[in-house]
mmCIF file of all heavy atoms in Angstrom:
data_model
loop_
_atom_site.group_PDB
_atom_site.id
_atom_site.type_symbol
_atom_site.label_atom_id
_atom_site.label_comp_id
_atom_site.label_asym_id
_atom_site.label_seq_id
_atom_site.Cartn_x
_atom_site.Cartn_y
_atom_site.Cartn_z
ATOM 1 N N PHE F 220 -20.613 -120.805 -2.253
ATOM 2 C CA PHE F 220 -19.962 -119.771 -1.422
ATOM 3 C C PHE F 220 -19.130 -118.795 -2.253
ATOM 4 O O PHE F 220 -18.032 -118.399 -1.870
ATOM 5 C CB PHE F 220 -19.081 -120.430 -0.340
ATOM 6 C CG PHE F 220 -19.827 -121.401 0.527
ATOM 7 C CD1 PHE F 220 -19.713 -122.773 0.319
ATOM 8 C CD2 PHE F 220 -20.678 -120.948 1.531
ATOM 9 C CE1 PHE F 220 -20.421 -123.678 1.105
ATOM 10 C CE2 PHE F 220 -21.393 -121.839 2.314
ATOM 11 C CZ PHE F 220 -21.253 -123.205 2.109
ATOM 12 N N ILE F 221 -19.669 -118.432 -3.423
ATOM 13 C CA ILE F 221 -18.987 -117.459 -4.284
ATOM 14 C C ILE F 221 -19.588 -116.080 -4.032
ATOM 15 O O ILE F 221 -20.799 -115.888 -4.143
ATOM 16 C CB ILE F 221 -19.122 -117.858 -5.764
ATOM 17 C CG1 ILE F 221 -18.391 -119.184 -6.014
ATOM 18 C CG2 ILE F 221 -18.570 -116.768 -6.683
ATOM 19 C CD1 ILE F 221 -18.700 -119.821 -7.338
ATOM 20 N N GLU F 222 -18.744 -115.122 -3.669
ATOM 21 C CA GLU F 222 -19.227 -113.763 -3.400
ATOM 22 C C GLU F 222 -19.563 -113.062 -4.707
ATOM 23 O O GLU F 222 -18.892 -113.259 -5.727
ATOM 24 C CB GLU F 222 -18.160 -112.973 -2.647
ATOM 25 C CG GLU F 222 -17.926 -113.496 -1.229
ATOM 26 C CD GLU F 222 -16.931 -112.631 -0.471
ATOM 27 O OE1 GLU F 222 -16.481 -111.609 -1.034
ATOM 28 O OE2 GLU F 222 -16.617 -112.982 0.676
ATOM 29 N N PHE F 223 -20.604 -112.230 -4.659
ATOM 30 C CA PHE F 223 -21.003 -111.497 -5.858
ATOM 31 C C PHE F 223 -21.589 -110.142 -5.471
ATOM 32 O O PHE F 223 -22.005 -109.926 -4.325
ATOM 33 C CB PHE F 223 -22.026 -112.294 -6.671
ATOM 34 C CG PHE F 223 -23.324 -112.544 -5.953
ATOM 35 C CD1 PHE F 223 -24.371 -111.630 -6.018
ATOM 36 C CD2 PHE F 223 -23.498 -113.688 -5.174
ATOM 37 C CE1 PHE F 223 -25.567 -111.856 -5.352
ATOM 38 C CE2 PHE F 223 -24.683 -113.926 -4.499
ATOM 39 C CZ PHE F 223 -25.727 -113.010 -4.592
ATOM 40 N N THR F 224 -21.592 -109.238 -6.414
ATOM 41 C CA THR F 224 -22.301 -107.960 -6.245
ATOM 42 C C THR F 224 -23.264 -107.826 -7.417
ATOM 43 O O THR F 224 -23.073 -108.463 -8.464
ATOM 44 C CB THR F 224 -21.324 -106.768 -6.244
ATOM 45 O OG1 THR F 224 -20.625 -106.755 -7.504
ATOM 46 C CG2 THR F 224 -20.347 -106.859 -5.083
ATOM 47 N N LYS F 225 -24.291 -107.024 -7.249
ATOM 48 C CA LYS F 225 -25.214 -106.799 -8.367
ATOM 49 C C LYS F 225 -25.658 -105.343 -8.376
ATOM 50 O O LYS F 225 -25.684 -104.677 -7.338
ATOM 51 C CB LYS F 225 -26.414 -107.745 -8.294
ATOM 52 C CG LYS F 225 -27.338 -107.564 -7.114
ATOM 53 C CD LYS F 225 -28.526 -108.522 -7.229
ATOM 54 C CE LYS F 225 -29.484 -108.337 -6.065
ATOM 55 N NZ LYS F 225 -30.690 -109.177 -6.187
ATOM 56 N N GLU F 226 -25.991 -104.873 -9.560
ATOM 57 C CA GLU F 226 -26.430 -103.482 -9.709
ATOM 58 C C GLU F 226 -27.394 -103.365 -10.883
ATOM 59 O O GLU F 226 -27.355 -104.176 -11.821
ATOM 60 C CB GLU F 226 -25.218 -102.568 -9.922
ATOM 61 C CG GLU F 226 -24.426 -102.920 -11.168
ATOM 62 C CD GLU F 226 -23.141 -102.122 -11.300
ATOM 63 O OE1 GLU F 226 -22.999 -101.109 -10.588
ATOM 64 O OE2 GLU F 226 -22.288 -102.508 -12.112
ATOM 65 N N LYS F 227 -28.243 -102.353 -10.806
ATOM 66 C CA LYS F 227 -29.174 -102.079 -11.897
ATOM 67 C C LYS F 227 -28.479 -101.187 -12.922
ATOM 68 O O LYS F 227 -27.822 -100.213 -12.558
ATOM 69 C CB LYS F 227 -30.424 -101.376 -11.371
ATOM 70 C CG LYS F 227 -31.367 -102.284 -10.614
ATOM 71 C CD LYS F 227 -32.615 -101.523 -10.217
ATOM 72 C CE LYS F 227 -33.596 -102.419 -9.439
ATOM 73 N NZ LYS F 227 -34.804 -101.675 -9.032
ATOM 74 N N LEU F 228 -28.648 -101.526 -14.187
ATOM 75 C CA LEU F 228 -28.058 -100.729 -15.270
ATOM 76 C C LEU F 228 -29.149 -100.270 -16.233
ATOM 77 O O LEU F 228 -30.119 -100.983 -16.473
ATOM 78 C CB LEU F 228 -27.032 -101.549 -16.057
ATOM 79 C CG LEU F 228 -25.808 -102.105 -15.314
ATOM 80 C CD1 LEU F 228 -24.911 -102.847 -16.291
ATOM 81 C CD2 LEU F 228 -25.037 -101.013 -14.623
ATOM 82 N N GLU F 229 -28.945 -99.072 -16.763
ATOM 83 C CA GLU F 229 -29.791 -98.563 -17.844
ATOM 84 C C GLU F 229 -28.845 -98.040 -18.913
ATOM 85 O O GLU F 229 -27.876 -97.344 -18.593
ATOM 86 C CB GLU F 229 -30.694 -97.442 -17.323
ATOM 87 C CG GLU F 229 -31.586 -96.845 -18.403
ATOM 88 C CD GLU F 229 -32.390 -95.654 -17.890
ATOM 89 O OE1 GLU F 229 -33.503 -95.872 -17.392
ATOM 90 O OE2 GLU F 229 -31.878 -94.512 -17.983
ATOM 91 N N GLN F 230 -29.089 -98.386 -20.165
ATOM 92 C CA GLN F 230 -28.194 -97.903 -21.212
ATOM 93 C C GLN F 230 -28.929 -97.708 -22.532
ATOM 94 O O GLN F 230 -29.963 -98.323 -22.780
ATOM 95 C CB GLN F 230 -27.007 -98.850 -21.392
ATOM 96 C CG GLN F 230 -27.357 -100.230 -21.899
ATOM 97 C CD GLN F 230 -26.149 -101.157 -21.880
ATOM 98 O OE1 GLN F 230 -25.472 -101.305 -20.856
ATOM 99 N NE2 GLN F 230 -25.866 -101.779 -23.022
ATOM 100 N N PHE F 231 -28.367 -96.823 -23.350
ATOM 101 C CA PHE F 231 -28.939 -96.566 -24.679
ATOM 102 C C PHE F 231 -27.801 -96.145 -25.602
ATOM 103 O O PHE F 231 -26.661 -95.915 -25.164
ATOM 104 C CB PHE F 231 -30.028 -95.491 -24.615
ATOM 105 C CG PHE F 231 -29.562 -94.171 -24.071
ATOM 106 C CD1 PHE F 231 -28.985 -93.214 -24.903
ATOM 107 C CD2 PHE F 231 -29.681 -93.879 -22.721
ATOM 108 C CE1 PHE F 231 -28.541 -92.002 -24.400
ATOM 109 C CE2 PHE F 231 -29.243 -92.668 -22.203
ATOM 110 C CZ PHE F 231 -28.664 -91.727 -23.043
ATOM 111 N N TYR F 232 -28.106 -96.036 -26.888
ATOM 112 C CA TYR F 232 -27.076 -95.776 -27.892
ATOM 113 C C TYR F 232 -27.439 -94.579 -28.766
ATOM 114 O O TYR F 232 -28.607 -94.405 -29.140
ATOM 115 C CB TYR F 232 -26.883 -97.004 -28.782
ATOM 116 C CG TYR F 232 -26.288 -98.184 -28.041
ATOM 117 C CD1 TYR F 232 -27.082 -98.996 -27.241
ATOM 118 C CD2 TYR F 232 -24.929 -98.453 -28.118
ATOM 119 C CE1 TYR F 232 -26.532 -100.058 -26.539
ATOM 120 C CE2 TYR F 232 -24.370 -99.516 -27.427
ATOM 121 C CZ TYR F 232 -25.181 -100.315 -26.633
ATOM 122 O OH TYR F 232 -24.633 -101.358 -25.934
ATOM 123 N N LEU F 233 -26.406 -93.774 -29.089
ATOM 124 C CA LEU F 233 -26.570 -92.737 -30.109
ATOM 125 C C LEU F 233 -26.096 -93.282 -31.455
ATOM 126 O O LEU F 233 -26.617 -92.928 -32.497
ATOM 127 C CB LEU F 233 -25.771 -91.479 -29.745
ATOM 128 C CG LEU F 233 -26.194 -90.755 -28.450
ATOM 129 C CD1 LEU F 233 -25.486 -89.420 -28.333
ATOM 130 C CD2 LEU F 233 -27.701 -90.542 -28.393
ATOM 131 N N VAL F 234 -25.090 -94.162 -31.396
ATOM 132 C CA VAL F 234 -24.606 -94.865 -32.593
ATOM 133 C C VAL F 234 -24.498 -96.337 -32.226
ATOM 134 O O VAL F 234 -23.975 -96.686 -31.164
ATOM 135 C CB VAL F 234 -23.208 -94.347 -33.032
ATOM 136 C CG1 VAL F 234 -22.715 -95.133 -34.251
ATOM 137 C CG2 VAL F 234 -23.251 -92.865 -33.334
ATOM 138 N N ALA F 235 -25.015 -97.211 -33.069
ATOM 139 C CA ALA F 235 -24.929 -98.654 -32.787
ATOM 140 C C ALA F 235 -24.832 -99.418 -34.101
ATOM 141 O O ALA F 235 -25.828 -99.876 -34.651
ATOM 142 C CB ALA F 235 -26.144 -99.113 -31.989
ATOM 143 N N THR F 236 -23.606 -99.515 -34.631
ATOM 144 C CA THR F 236 -23.363 -100.307 -35.839
ATOM 145 C C THR F 236 -22.468 -101.488 -35.468
ATOM 146 O O THR F 236 -22.001 -101.584 -34.332
ATOM 147 C CB THR F 236 -22.681 -99.458 -36.934
ATOM 148 O OG1 THR F 236 -21.371 -99.082 -36.478
ATOM 149 C CG2 THR F 236 -23.497 -98.223 -37.264
ATOM 150 N N ILE F 237 -22.217 -102.367 -36.432
ATOM 151 C CA ILE F 237 -21.387 -103.545 -36.155
ATOM 152 C C ILE F 237 -19.974 -103.129 -35.756
ATOM 153 O O ILE F 237 -19.368 -103.697 -34.851
ATOM 154 C CB ILE F 237 -21.356 -104.479 -37.393
ATOM 155 C CG1 ILE F 237 -22.748 -105.085 -37.610
ATOM 156 C CG2 ILE F 237 -20.314 -105.591 -37.224
ATOM 157 C CD1 ILE F 237 -22.884 -105.870 -38.889
ATOM 158 N N GLU F 238 -19.428 -102.093 -36.409
ATOM 159 C CA GLU F 238 -18.027 -101.697 -36.184
ATOM 160 C C GLU F 238 -17.853 -100.582 -35.160
ATOM 161 O O GLU F 238 -16.772 -100.394 -34.626
ATOM 162 C CB GLU F 238 -17.392 -101.269 -37.526
ATOM 163 C CG GLU F 238 -17.178 -102.419 -38.494
ATOM 164 C CD GLU F 238 -16.221 -103.482 -37.956
ATOM 165 O OE1 GLU F 238 -15.270 -103.128 -37.231
ATOM 166 O OE2 GLU F 238 -16.447 -104.667 -38.248
ATOM 167 N N LYS F 239 -18.913 -99.817 -34.877
ATOM 168 C CA LYS F 239 -18.746 -98.656 -33.993
ATOM 169 C C LYS F 239 -19.999 -98.436 -33.144
ATOM 170 O O LYS F 239 -21.127 -98.548 -33.645
ATOM 171 C CB LYS F 239 -18.468 -97.408 -34.839
ATOM 172 C CG LYS F 239 -18.156 -96.170 -34.020
ATOM 173 C CD LYS F 239 -17.859 -94.988 -34.935
ATOM 174 C CE LYS F 239 -17.584 -93.730 -34.113
ATOM 175 N NZ LYS F 239 -17.322 -92.552 -34.965
ATOM 176 N N THR F 240 -19.799 -98.136 -31.851
ATOM 177 C CA THR F 240 -20.939 -97.822 -30.976
ATOM 178 C C THR F 240 -20.604 -96.625 -30.089
ATOM 179 O O THR F 240 -19.449 -96.426 -29.692
ATOM 180 C CB THR F 240 -21.308 -99.005 -30.052
ATOM 181 O OG1 THR F 240 -20.212 -99.299 -29.195
ATOM 182 C CG2 THR F 240 -21.692 -100.233 -30.827
ATOM 183 N N LEU F 241 -21.601 -95.826 -29.809
ATOM 184 C CA LEU F 241 -21.501 -94.745 -28.828
ATOM 185 C C LEU F 241 -22.636 -94.957 -27.834
ATOM 186 O O LEU F 241 -23.808 -94.821 -28.184
ATOM 187 C CB LEU F 241 -21.617 -93.375 -29.496
ATOM 188 C CG LEU F 241 -21.580 -92.160 -28.545
ATOM 189 C CD1 LEU F 241 -20.301 -92.133 -27.719
ATOM 190 C CD2 LEU F 241 -21.752 -90.857 -29.311
ATOM 191 N N ARG F 242 -22.258 -95.304 -26.607
ATOM 192 C CA ARG F 242 -23.245 -95.741 -25.606
ATOM 193 C C ARG F 242 -23.205 -94.850 -24.369
ATOM 194 O O ARG F 242 -22.147 -94.385 -23.952
ATOM 195 C CB ARG F 242 -22.914 -97.177 -25.198
ATOM 196 C CG ARG F 242 -23.857 -97.779 -24.178
ATOM 197 C CD ARG F 242 -23.292 -99.067 -23.622
ATOM 198 N NE ARG F 242 -22.186 -98.810 -22.691
ATOM 199 C CZ ARG F 242 -21.233 -99.700 -22.393
ATOM 200 N NH1 ARG F 242 -21.234 -100.891 -22.966
ATOM 201 N NH2 ARG F 242 -20.267 -99.391 -21.545
ATOM 202 N N TYR F 243 -24.397 -94.631 -23.794
ATOM 203 C CA TYR F 243 -24.512 -93.979 -22.486
ATOM 204 C C TYR F 243 -25.083 -94.998 -21.502
ATOM 205 O O TYR F 243 -25.992 -95.757 -21.838
ATOM 206 C CB TYR F 243 -25.432 -92.759 -22.566
ATOM 207 C CG TYR F 243 -24.759 -91.531 -23.140
ATOM 208 C CD1 TYR F 243 -24.638 -91.371 -24.518
ATOM 209 C CD2 TYR F 243 -24.235 -90.547 -22.303
ATOM 210 C CE1 TYR F 243 -24.021 -90.248 -25.057
ATOM 211 C CE2 TYR F 243 -23.621 -89.411 -22.833
ATOM 212 C CZ TYR F 243 -23.513 -89.277 -24.207
ATOM 213 O OH TYR F 243 -22.890 -88.162 -24.731
ATOM 214 N N ARG F 244 -24.518 -94.981 -20.287
ATOM 215 C CA ARG F 244 -24.973 -95.957 -19.286
ATOM 216 C C ARG F 244 -25.099 -95.298 -17.914
ATOM 217 O O ARG F 244 -24.253 -94.505 -17.514
ATOM 218 C CB ARG F 244 -23.991 -97.132 -19.195
ATOM 219 C CG ARG F 244 -24.348 -98.109 -18.080
ATOM 220 C CD ARG F 244 -23.313 -99.212 -17.962
ATOM 221 N NE ARG F 244 -23.505 -100.212 -19.002
ATOM 222 C CZ ARG F 244 -22.581 -101.112 -19.332
ATOM 223 N NH1 ARG F 244 -21.413 -101.123 -18.732
ATOM 224 N NH2 ARG F 244 -22.836 -102.001 -20.275
ATOM 225 N N LYS F 245 -26.178 -95.705 -17.227
ATOM 226 C CA LYS F 245 -26.382 -95.269 -15.841
ATOM 227 C C LYS F 245 -26.125 -96.465 -14.933
ATOM 228 O O LYS F 245 -26.735 -97.519 -15.089
ATOM 229 C CB LYS F 245 -27.828 -94.784 -15.659
ATOM 230 C CG LYS F 245 -28.180 -94.375 -14.243
ATOM 231 C CD LYS F 245 -29.652 -94.007 -14.141
ATOM 232 C CE LYS F 245 -30.043 -93.700 -12.700
ATOM 233 N NZ LYS F 245 -31.483 -93.442 -12.562
ATOM 234 N N GLU F 246 -25.182 -96.298 -13.988
ATOM 235 C CA GLU F 246 -24.875 -97.342 -13.008
ATOM 236 C C GLU F 246 -25.060 -96.739 -11.622
ATOM 237 O O GLU F 246 -24.225 -95.952 -11.175
ATOM 238 C CB GLU F 246 -23.420 -97.831 -13.166
ATOM 239 C CG GLU F 246 -23.132 -98.457 -14.512
ATOM 240 C CD GLU F 246 -21.677 -98.912 -14.636
ATOM 241 O OE1 GLU F 246 -21.015 -99.055 -13.583
ATOM 242 O OE2 GLU F 246 -21.209 -99.117 -15.769
ATOM 243 N N GLY F 247 -26.166 -97.093 -10.951
ATOM 244 C CA GLY F 247 -26.457 -96.483 -9.644
ATOM 245 C C GLY F 247 -26.681 -94.992 -9.816
ATOM 246 O O GLY F 247 -27.569 -94.568 -10.556
ATOM 247 N N LYS F 248 -25.801 -94.164 -9.208
ATOM 248 C CA LYS F 248 -25.916 -92.703 -9.338
ATOM 249 C C LYS F 248 -24.841 -92.133 -10.245
ATOM 250 O O LYS F 248 -24.661 -90.914 -10.327
ATOM 251 C CB LYS F 248 -25.825 -92.063 -7.949
ATOM 252 C CG LYS F 248 -27.021 -92.419 -7.054
ATOM 253 C CD LYS F 248 -26.933 -91.716 -5.715
ATOM 254 C CE LYS F 248 -28.145 -92.065 -4.838
ATOM 255 N NZ LYS F 248 -28.070 -91.410 -3.508
ATOM 256 N N SER F 249 -24.115 -93.017 -10.932
ATOM 257 C CA SER F 249 -23.044 -92.579 -11.832
ATOM 258 C C SER F 249 -23.474 -92.745 -13.290
ATOM 259 O O SER F 249 -24.279 -93.619 -13.620
ATOM 260 C CB SER F 249 -21.772 -93.400 -11.576
ATOM 261 O OG SER F 249 -21.357 -93.258 -10.230
ATOM 262 N N TYR F 250 -22.906 -91.887 -14.153
ATOM 263 C CA TYR F 250 -23.273 -91.884 -15.571
ATOM 264 C C TYR F 250 -21.990 -91.941 -16.413
ATOM 265 O O TYR F 250 -21.006 -91.261 -16.106
ATOM 266 C CB TYR F 250 -24.063 -90.617 -15.916
ATOM 267 C CG TYR F 250 -25.316 -90.458 -15.076
ATOM 268 C CD1 TYR F 250 -25.253 -89.834 -13.818
ATOM 269 C CD2 TYR F 250 -26.535 -90.945 -15.506
ATOM 270 C CE1 TYR F 250 -26.387 -89.705 -13.034
ATOM 271 C CE2 TYR F 250 -27.684 -90.813 -14.732
ATOM 272 C CZ TYR F 250 -27.599 -90.199 -13.494
ATOM 273 O OH TYR F 250 -28.728 -90.078 -12.715
ATOM 274 N N PHE F 251 -22.018 -92.741 -17.494
ATOM 275 C CA PHE F 251 -20.819 -92.943 -18.301
ATOM 276 C C PHE F 251 -21.142 -92.882 -19.790
ATOM 277 O O PHE F 251 -22.231 -93.264 -20.218
ATOM 278 C CB PHE F 251 -20.185 -94.309 -18.000
ATOM 279 C CG PHE F 251 -19.759 -94.473 -16.563
ATOM 280 C CD1 PHE F 251 -20.629 -95.028 -15.630
ATOM 281 C CD2 PHE F 251 -18.500 -94.053 -16.147
ATOM 282 C CE1 PHE F 251 -20.260 -95.175 -14.305
ATOM 283 C CE2 PHE F 251 -18.120 -94.208 -14.819
ATOM 284 C CZ PHE F 251 -18.991 -94.762 -13.896
ATOM 285 N N LYS F 252 -20.159 -92.377 -20.549
ATOM 286 C CA LYS F 252 -20.237 -92.398 -22.018
ATOM 287 C C LYS F 252 -19.115 -93.306 -22.505
ATOM 288 O O LYS F 252 -17.963 -93.144 -22.094
ATOM 289 C CB LYS F 252 -20.081 -90.991 -22.595
ATOM 290 C CG LYS F 252 -20.132 -90.955 -24.117
ATOM 291 C CD LYS F 252 -20.156 -89.534 -24.660
ATOM 292 C CE LYS F 252 -18.774 -88.917 -24.607
ATOM 293 N NZ LYS F 252 -18.743 -87.605 -25.315
ATOM 294 N N THR F 253 -19.460 -94.268 -23.367
ATOM 295 C CA THR F 253 -18.469 -95.234 -23.846
ATOM 296 C C THR F 253 -18.537 -95.332 -25.363
ATOM 297 O O THR F 253 -19.625 -95.473 -25.931
ATOM 298 C CB THR F 253 -18.736 -96.630 -23.246
ATOM 299 O OG1 THR F 253 -18.829 -96.513 -21.830
ATOM 300 C CG2 THR F 253 -17.617 -97.598 -23.601
ATOM 301 N N SER F 254 -17.377 -95.248 -26.001
ATOM 302 C CA SER F 254 -17.327 -95.501 -27.450
ATOM 303 C C SER F 254 -16.485 -96.748 -27.689
ATOM 304 O O SER F 254 -15.470 -96.963 -27.026
ATOM 305 C CB SER F 254 -16.742 -94.299 -28.194
ATOM 306 O OG SER F 254 -15.423 -94.052 -27.768
ATOM 307 N N LYS F 255 -16.942 -97.582 -28.615
ATOM 308 C CA LYS F 255 -16.247 -98.836 -28.921
ATOM 309 C C LYS F 255 -16.062 -98.958 -30.421
ATOM 310 O O LYS F 255 -16.928 -98.552 -31.203
ATOM 311 C CB LYS F 255 -17.033 -100.043 -28.410
ATOM 312 C CG LYS F 255 -17.155 -100.116 -26.897
ATOM 313 C CD LYS F 255 -17.823 -101.419 -26.457
ATOM 314 C CE LYS F 255 -17.977 -101.457 -24.945
ATOM 315 N NZ LYS F 255 -18.506 -102.760 -24.463
ATOM 316 N N LYS F 256 -14.904 -99.540 -30.804
ATOM 317 C CA LYS F 256 -14.638 -99.831 -32.216
ATOM 318 C C LYS F 256 -14.303 -101.302 -32.354
ATOM 319 O O LYS F 256 -13.632 -101.871 -31.490
ATOM 320 C CB LYS F 256 -13.469 -98.992 -32.729
ATOM 321 C CG LYS F 256 -13.801 -97.520 -32.918
ATOM 322 C CD LYS F 256 -12.607 -96.781 -33.484
ATOM 323 C CE LYS F 256 -12.917 -95.289 -33.645
ATOM 324 N NZ LYS F 256 -11.729 -94.553 -34.162
ATOM 325 N N GLY F 257 -14.748 -101.903 -33.456
ATOM 326 C CA GLY F 257 -14.460 -103.317 -33.696
ATOM 327 C C GLY F 257 -15.594 -104.211 -33.237
ATOM 328 O O GLY F 257 -16.599 -103.746 -32.696
#
């Protein structure tokens, strides 16, 4: 009886190294750009 939600995701990378990533993601009808370090 644990409630959950689910969604389809699509994502790709312009930069994808161990220390740094630049990612684009599609969630439903929304679009996001994410950069990560570390």
Side-chain angles (χ1 to χ4, degrees):
F220 304 102
I221 295 167
E222 292 184 3
F223 63 88
T224 60
K225 65 177 181 176
E226 61 186 345
K227 286 184 180 179
L228 300 182
E229 179 185 270
Q230 65 187 52
F231 59 86
Y232 293 80
L233 297 189
V234 178
T236 65
I237 292 172
E238 290 298 326
K239 185 179 178 181
T240 62
L241 178 58
R242 181 192 74 203
Y243 280 82
R244 175 183 282 164
K245 177 184 176 184
E246 298 179 18
K248 294 183 179 179
S249 301
Y250 303 86
F251 299 92
K252 179 173 77 172
T253 307
S254 61
K255 295 186 182 185
K256 287 182 182 178

